[in-house]
Amino acid sequence: FRGASLEQVLNYLSDAAGFTIILDPDARNISGKVDVWSNQPLTKDEALQTLNQVLSKQGYAILRKENSLTVMRREMMMRADVPVVTGNDPSTIPKDDEIVTQIIPVRFINAVQVAKDLAPMVPENAELVSNQDGNALVITDKRTNIRRFAEIVKALDTAVSSLSSVKVFALKFADAKALATVVKELFPSQESGGGSRGGNDPRSRILQM
């Protein structure tokens, strides 16, 4: 296609691949010229990936459901019934322009804080939220952008994990639950202001156990 209209490209894709083309009301006046060609035959998936790249430059995107393709504006796609994927391994996220909602679990860093810190890096049309209970990030965008975002999150999560370690202590006489409470008082959180006051030094309780 050289200088072809988007309508011509969509009509050809419908004839050649058997797709049913649906134009969202906001995309009824879709316009723009296309310059794209290949010297080798393309599969259906390759053709759709190429078309998504072309439409993305025009501000549109494709939502595929079986053999139907719905063309809509990218900002409307963010709230459409796009595929939902779970995973935090960037290598499993393809580099293409398909829009999905990716759930990225994190292990060591705080998802809520990370969402705030990385918000300025999120593309304008993307949506990023955090889930505190599941300690996960939820982002809706093109998969190529999501992959880059997942790489940053993984690097941060890995950096924090290298500073943490887990050790198991077997107790002979003390009650594990009671001792855990004492240890927590010995190492108060930053929110508590640190340390004990007056004569209630928790370390004295250890000597009494």
Side-chain angles (χ1 to χ4, degrees), residues 49 53 85 89-100 102 141-148 150-151:
Q49 181 177 339
Q53 292 175 343
V85 186
D89 185 359
S91 64
T92 63
I93 304 175
K95 290 184 177 181
D96 59 38
D97 289 337
E98 181 180 353
I99 295 178
V100 301
Q102 183 91 19
D141 197 5
K142 297 188 298 184
R143 291 197 293 195
T144 185
N145 292 341
I146 293 177
R147 177 172 176 142
R148 176 176 177 272
E151 289 173 346

Side-chain angles (χ1 to χ4, degrees), residues 10-189:
L10 291 172
N11 286 337
Y12 176 81
L13 194 61
S14 177
D15 293 336
F19 286 115
T20 299
I21 308 297
I22 303 172
L23 294 181
D24 190 75
D26 290 329
R28 291 294 171 85
N29 297 322
I30 188 171
S31 61
K33 298 296 182 180
V34 176
D35 285 292
V36 59
W37 62 90
S38 173
N39 294 326
Q40 301 296 328
L42 299 179
T43 65
K44 282 187 177 182
D45 290 339
E46 290 171 338
L48 285 180
Q49 181 177 339
T50 301
L51 181 60
N52 245 332
Q53 292 175 343
V54 172
L55 290 174
S56 179
K57 296 177 181 179
Q58 305 288 342
Y60 298 96
I62 292 178
L63 178 61
R64 179 181 180 179
K65 287 190 176 180
E66 297 181 354
N67 282 331
S68 67
L69 304 178
T70 301
V71 182
M72 60 181 65
R73 299 202 67 85
R74 279 203 59 199
E75 56 267 26
M76 300 302 297
M77 181 73 78
M78 296 302 169
R79 291 172 174 79
D81 186 18
V82 299
V84 178
V85 186
T86 301
N88 56 7
D89 185 359
S91 64
T92 63
I93 304 175
K95 290 184 177 181
D96 59 38
D97 289 337
E98 181 180 353
I99 295 178
V100 301
T101 295
Q102 183 91 19
I103 301 174
I104 305 176
V106 293
R107 295 183 59 193
F108 301 100
I109 53 180
N110 183 282
V112 176
Q113 186 60 48
V114 171
K116 293 179 181 178
D117 294 340
L118 299 185
M121 302 180 62
V122 177
E124 181 180 356
N125 291 324
E127 290 190 353
L128 171 65
V129 296
S130 59
N131 179 267
Q132 183 174 1
D133 293 336
N135 201 37
L137 300 164
V138 182
I139 182 171
T140 301
D141 197 5
K142 297 188 298 184
R143 291 197 293 195
T144 185
N145 292 341
I146 293 177
R147 177 172 176 142
R148 176 176 177 272
F149 184 82
E151 289 173 346
I152 296 173
V153 172
K154 182 179 180 179
L156 293 173
D157 208 23
T158 303
V160 172
S161 68
S162 64
L163 302 177
S164 305
S165 62
V166 178
K167 291 185 179 180
V168 178
F169 296 89
L171 304 179
K172 295 180 64 176
F173 304 107
D175 178 74
K177 186 175 181 180
L179 185 57
T181 302
V182 175
V183 172
K184 287 181 180 179
E185 293 178 1
L186 282 171
F187 300 97
S189 63

